[in-house]
């Protein structure tokens, strides 16, 4: 594992540009609107979260599974694959890489229970998940270490003197950022800063009296950072945009939308 993000495979192999992201969606967007495509992606994140909760996984493992899922679909279409098999394999692989391994039979069994409502269960056995894991590894180019915003978020919030409620608000924003593609586009500490920016702008920062954050003009603090502030604003806008789509997102409509994508002909 690289000692820092800048020397990591995430920076050198899995930080993408918007053109690459747009190309990765072309096949599915022949059959879906951009808005419906994003809603489906939110749903798959929701299903990953659902399975992970059943397996009692910590948030970093869930986040790693999100990233694997997103990376897989850079070179694959939803229409041409079974995203439920993909996401189960992503969760299983994430538990191993994040050093909280769960037996593949348990992952498969819990998937059968969790997806009973949406899909009548999970139609694959553990051998199929294990077989698909090798394909997933190839698609990820065997670059499996993921750097997340959580560590830098906690560090910066502590330095600013942000109390628990403010940190928790920013943490939830980072969690929500995985419904967007910012983890494929920007360094993790940029996402941390965007989460803090939104927490401050939305008046949830809750700095302790006399703390650095309490005494500073936070607008000036952001301006003085040695980072590309334009990127921080872009990330913030992406997260706010996903909230707008999410507000119109209805889980009960997603299965029908998914089936329509699978069954449509041009």
């Amino acid at each position: 594992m690289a000692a820092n993000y800048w020397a990591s495979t995430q920076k050198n192999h899995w930080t993408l540009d918007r053109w690459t992201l747009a190309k990765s969606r072309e096949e599915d967007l022949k059959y879906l609107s951009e808005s419906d495509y994003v809603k489906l992606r939110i749903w798959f994140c929701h299903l990953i979260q659902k399975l992970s909760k059943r397996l009692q996984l910590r948030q970093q493992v869930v986040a790693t599974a999100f990233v694997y899922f997103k990376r897989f679909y850079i070179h694959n279409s939803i229409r041409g694959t079974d995203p439920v098999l993909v996401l189960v394999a992503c969760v299983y692989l994430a538990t191993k890489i994040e050093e909280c391994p769960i037996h593949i039979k348990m992952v498969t069994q819990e998937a059968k229970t969790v997806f009973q409502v949406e899909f009548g269960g999970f139609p694959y056995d553990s051998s199929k998940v294990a077989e698909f894991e090798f394909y997933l590894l190839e698609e990820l180019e065997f670059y499996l270490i993921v750097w997340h915003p959580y560590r830098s978020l906690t560090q910066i919030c502590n330095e600013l003197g942000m109390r628990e409620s403010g940190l928790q608000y920013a943490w939830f924003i980072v969690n929500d950022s995985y419904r967007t593609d910012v983890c494929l586009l920007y360094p993790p500490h940029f996402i941390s800063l965007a989460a803090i920016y939104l927490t401050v702008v939305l008046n949830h920062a809750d700095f302790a009296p006399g703390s650095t954050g309490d005494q500073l003009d936070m607008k000036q603090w952001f301006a003085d950072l040695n980072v590309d502030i334009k990127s921080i604003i872009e990330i913030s806008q992406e997260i706010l945009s996903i909230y707008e789509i999410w507000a119109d997102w209805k889980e009960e409509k997603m299965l029908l939308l998914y089936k329509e994508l699978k069954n449509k002909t041009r």
Side-chain angles (χ1 to χ4, degrees):
M1 177 178 173
N4 63 75
Y5 166 77
W6 302 106
S8 70
T9 56
Q10 182 168 329
K11 170 67 175 70
N12 295 309
H13 296 277
W14 276 112
T15 299
L16 309 175
D17 54 39
R18 292 187 182 276
W19 184 86
T20 303
L21 277 185
K23 289 292 288 182
S24 72
R25 299 178 173 193
E26 281 183 347
E27 179 61 25
D28 289 322
L29 291 179
K30 292 174 184 175
Y31 307 92
L32 277 179
S33 69
E34 180 81 30
S35 175
D36 282 345
Y37 177 84
V38 173
K39 287 176 183 177
L40 269 186
R41 295 292 291 263
I42 291 173
W43 185 48
F44 294 130
C45 286
H46 176 71
L47 295 178
I48 289 173
Q49 191 85 50
K50 212 170 166 183
L51 176 59
S52 299
K53 185 176 181 181
R54 181 86 183 185
L55 294 167
Q56 299 182 313
L57 302 179
R58 53 192 170 86
Q59 185 57 39
Q60 180 147 326
V61 185
V62 183
T64 296
F66 285 154
V67 173
Y68 289 166
F69 188 82
K70 290 176 181 297
R71 289 179 180 179
F72 178 85
Y73 280 105
I74 294 301
H75 301 298
N76 297 275
S77 68
I78 294 171
R79 183 176 159 82
T81 59
D82 184 347
V84 181
L85 175 59
V86 176
L87 71 85
V88 170
C90 288
V91 170
Y92 175 58
L93 181 58
T95 65
K96 294 200 287 187
I97 299 305
E98 295 294 346
E99 299 181 348
C100 55
I102 296 176
H103 199 283
I104 192 168
K105 288 185 178 177
M106 179 179 286
V107 175
T108 307
Q109 188 56 48
E110 294 298 348
K112 290 181 188 296
T113 303
V114 169
F115 301 138
Q116 186 63 43
V117 174
E118 291 89 350
F119 304 102
F122 179 63
Y124 304 102
D125 59 17
S126 53
S127 64
K128 183 64 177 178
V129 175
E131 178 188 331
F132 188 81
E133 182 191 10
F134 285 104
Y135 180 63
L136 175 63
L137 285 165
E138 288 181 354
E139 290 295 293
L140 299 177
E141 300 175 34
F142 298 91
Y143 297 132
L144 304 176
I145 301 301
V146 180
W147 292 73
H148 294 291
Y150 299 109
R151 182 183 295 179
S152 56
L153 176 73
T154 304
Q155 181 183 345
I156 297 167
C157 287
N158 287 340
E159 288 173 359
L160 289 170
M162 192 180 290
R163 291 190 285 204
E164 184 63 29
S165 63
L167 172 59
Q168 188 174 61
Y169 193 87
W171 188 282
F172 287 155
I173 290 174
V174 169
N175 290 350
D176 293 343
S177 76
Y178 287 98
R179 269 68 175 177
T180 75
D181 289 317
V182 295
C183 62
L184 300 176
L185 296 166
Y186 300 97
H189 68 283
F190 279 32
I191 300 169
S192 303
L193 289 168
I196 293 168
Y197 175 79
L198 287 172
T199 301
V200 170
V201 167
L202 297 171
N203 296 315
H204 288 279
D206 192 21
F207 294 115
S211 66
T212 303
D214 184 50
Q215 295 176 343
L216 284 173
D217 174 358
M218 287 302 295
K219 190 174 181 182
Q220 190 59 46
W221 182 82
F222 277 105
D224 291 341
L225 288 175
N226 187 27
V227 297
D228 178 13
I229 196 66
K230 182 184 170 193
S231 294
I232 307 304
I233 301 300
E234 286 173 357
I235 296 166
S236 302
Q237 289 171 340
E238 289 243 4
I239 294 170
L240 291 174
S241 295
I242 206 74
Y243 287 146
E244 290 179 17
I245 294 173
W246 210 340
D248 188 42
W249 181 83
K250 292 181 173 58
E251 183 180 358
E252 63 272 15
K253 293 185 176 181
M254 291 301 102
L255 184 58
L256 180 60
L257 185 61
Y258 172 62
K259 287 180 176 177
E260 286 177 356
L261 170 63
K262 285 290 197 176
N263 297 328
K264 273 183 181 175
T265 56
R266 292 180 66 188

